[in-house]
Amino acid sequence: MWANFHTHSKYCDGKGELMDYVEEARRLKICSLGFSSHAPVEFNCGWCMKADDLDHYLQSIDTLKKSVTDIELYKSLEIDYIPRTISTDQFKNQLDYTIGSIHFIDSFPEDGIPWEIDGKHTRFLEGLDKIFHGDSTAAFSRYFELTRKMIEESCPTIIGHLDKIKIQNVDNKFFSEDDEWYQREVRKTVDLIAERKAIVEVNTRGVYQKKSSTVYPSPWILKLLYEKDIPITLSSDAHHPADLINQFTETVHLLSDIGFKKISILHEGGWKPFSFNAHGVIK
């Protein structure tokens, strides 16, 4: 029996109707399912929900909640944090929980377009050159600085894919995760998460998409979370119903080896810790 609170449907860059996810969740014996399409932004974004679709998205989930009684359904958005532009505060009153993520760092100087950091590597290199003048340490540090600003100013329920920017560090081109500056940035961020009592998702998407050899966040960061007693939830960041529990079994073995005994899931309207094994959470 699993749960997943990070999913993307046709309302953004995911595939399938909301009901497609419900039907697959039934097949997989998922007990709680959260819908979390990418929130609308004020600029052109090919993978975000269109602002005109937001009301229909929210209403559709409410309708499903009334008709689906065998699975707990929850309403959310994955919301970007861009200073003075967008944050979780703009949407949280409409939702059951929020996922806060960093997908953009600052803007290109010539046109003000936000720099997307988890898209094509060529675009990443372009922003690195034009915004940070090739200083990769400054760029990766800025990612964690923005993560901390998000937590300080509009802390979400769940911190989304904490270290996703590492997908641009192919073959340790820019740094090693053992580097003192990188570990310092991560540790400062983890300390703040512990202070604000947010949940961190353990996100498997990078692994099954073969964009990362490890989950987000990396195992050494998961150990920090365990040491700080920070709650975690397991997600696949599914963009297709078939990926609802992709890499879950493999990941819970990792979590058990680190020492985790509980996974937080949203159950009966509240976040609660549940024991788990290779087959899912134990209710």
Side-chain angles (χ1 to χ4, degrees), residues 80-141:
D80 272 274
Y81 172 77
I82 303 175
R84 299 175 299 279
T85 302
I86 183 175
S87 73
T88 56
D89 287 346
Q90 295 170 232
F91 302 95
K92 65 181 181 181
N93 291 335
Q94 301 169 278
L95 307 172
D96 297 316
Y97 66 95
T98 56
I99 300 175
S101 300
I102 303 296
H103 295 98
F104 301 96
I105 298 178
D106 301 337
S107 302
F108 286 92
E110 68 271 20
D111 54 21
I113 294 175
W115 177 37
E116 182 183 343
I117 53 81
D118 69 344
K120 293 182 178 179
H121 191 60
T122 52
R123 185 63 168 173
F124 179 83
L125 294 176
E126 184 182 359
L128 181 61
D129 176 56
K130 292 183 177 180
I131 301 171
F132 290 92
H133 309 290
D135 187 342
S136 59
T137 300
F140 283 86
S141 295

Side-chain angles (χ1 to χ4, degrees), residues 34-262:
F35 299 109
S36 59
S37 284
H38 291 289
V41 293
E42 295 177 355
F43 51 88
N44 186 39
C45 175
W47 43 265
C48 292
M49 183 188 303
K50 305 303 180 188
D52 290 345
D53 292 334
L54 179 60
D55 286 345
H56 189 266
Y57 167 77
L58 298 174
Q59 291 166 8
S60 295
I61 298 173
D62 287 337
T63 299
L64 272 180
K65 283 184 175 186
K66 295 174 183 176
S67 61
V68 175
T69 58
D70 55 328
I71 301 172
E72 292 186 29
L73 300 181
Y74 292 100
K75 179 171 54 177
S76 184
L77 290 166
E78 183 179 13
I79 306 163
D80 272 274
Y81 172 77
I82 303 175
R84 299 175 299 279
T85 302
I86 183 175
S87 73
T88 56
D89 287 346
Q90 295 170 232
F91 302 95
K92 65 181 181 181
N93 291 335
Q94 301 169 278
L95 307 172
D96 297 316
Y97 66 95
T98 56
I99 300 175
S101 300
I102 303 296
H103 295 98
F104 301 96
I105 298 178
D106 301 337
S107 302
F108 286 92
E110 68 271 20
D111 54 21
I113 294 175
W115 177 37
E116 182 183 343
I117 53 81
D118 69 344
K120 293 182 178 179
H121 191 60
T122 52
R123 185 63 168 173
F124 179 83
L125 294 176
E126 184 182 359
L128 181 61
D129 176 56
K130 292 183 177 180
I131 301 171
F132 290 92
H133 309 290
D135 187 342
S136 59
T137 300
F140 283 86
S141 295
R142 178 64 171 156
Y143 173 86
F144 287 104
E145 179 186 10
L146 286 170
T147 301
R148 292 192 296 272
K149 282 182 175 291
M150 173 184 70
I151 297 167
E152 288 171 342
E153 295 179 12
S154 59
C155 189
T157 313
I158 299 171
I159 309 299
H161 42 65
L162 180 60
D163 60 349
K164 189 176 186 180
I165 195 172
K166 70 185 178 185
I167 63 173
Q168 302 293 353
N169 190 39
V170 180
D171 297 325
N172 292 339
K173 177 179 181 179
F174 299 113
F175 66 90
S176 164
E177 292 194 34
D178 293 328
D179 288 349
E180 190 276 336
W181 70 267
Y182 185 78
Q183 294 214 349
R184 183 176 64 249
E185 291 294 329
V186 171
R187 288 176 185 275
K188 286 196 296 185
T189 306
V190 168
D191 286 345
L192 184 60
I193 292 170
E195 177 186 321
R196 297 303 174 95
K197 303 186 185 306
I199 299 168
V200 174
E201 71 165 0
V202 181
N203 184 314
T204 65
R205 183 169 171 78
V207 176
Y208 66 78
Q209 280 206 314
K210 303 188 185 307
K211 291 185 175 182
S212 173
S213 61
T214 59
V215 295
Y216 316 123
S218 293
W220 72 271
I221 304 176
L222 290 173
K223 291 178 182 178
L224 293 179
L225 301 178
Y226 175 71
E227 291 166 3
K228 295 282 185 180
D229 199 26
I230 293 172
I232 59 169
T233 192
L234 183 59
S235 81
S236 66
D237 199 343
H239 285 60
H240 190 284
D243 289 325
L244 270 175
I245 61 168
N246 204 330
Q247 291 292 310
F248 273 24
T249 299
E250 296 85 347
T251 302
V252 295
H253 286 306
L254 167 66
L255 296 175
S256 294
D257 289 344
I258 289 171
F260 285 102
K261 299 291 191 296
K262 305 281 187 178

